């Protein structure tokens, strides 16, 4: 199993956490999702998966929930 952590901007409440968790959990091969809400800054999501995930799929799932992945250097 592989694990990655992403930064997410725009999340402010537990509903945000649920929305992101649900969208990421629906991706094929995702085993677990742990979203950490950080007030006033970028929140994080740690995703464990059993098949390769591409960045576009992760970005799209987070966008579907209404938020944005923050990439290094962006």
């Amino acid at each position: 199993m592989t694990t990655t952590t992403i930064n997410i901007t725009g999340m402010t409440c537990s509903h945000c956490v649920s929305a992101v968790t649900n969208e990421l959990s629906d991706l094929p091969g995702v085993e677990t999702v742990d979203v950490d809400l950080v007030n006033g800054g970028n929140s994080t999501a740690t995703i464990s998966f059993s098949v390769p995930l591409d960045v576009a799929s992760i970005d799209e799932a987070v966008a579907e929930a209404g938020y944005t992945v923050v990439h290094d250097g962006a």
Side-chain angles (χ1 to χ4, degrees):
M1 188 168 332
T2 304
T3 301
T4 191
T5 300
I6 59 172
N7 293 316
I8 303 170
T9 189
M11 295 175 36
T12 60
C13 64
S14 62
H15 173 72
C16 303
V17 171
S18 293
V20 170
T21 299
N22 290 339
E23 290 296 332
L24 290 172
S25 294
D26 285 345
L27 293 174
V30 170
E31 302 290 330
T32 63
V33 176
D34 180 28
V35 178
D36 183 22
L37 180 66
V38 178
N39 292 323
N42 288 335
S43 299
T44 61
T46 301
I47 310 160
S48 297
F49 47 95
S50 58
V51 299
L53 291 178
D54 63 8
V55 173
S57 295
I58 294 170
D59 288 356
E60 186 176 310
V62 172
E64 188 69 31
Y67 309 99
T68 304
V69 174
V70 178
H71 296 279
D72 291 338

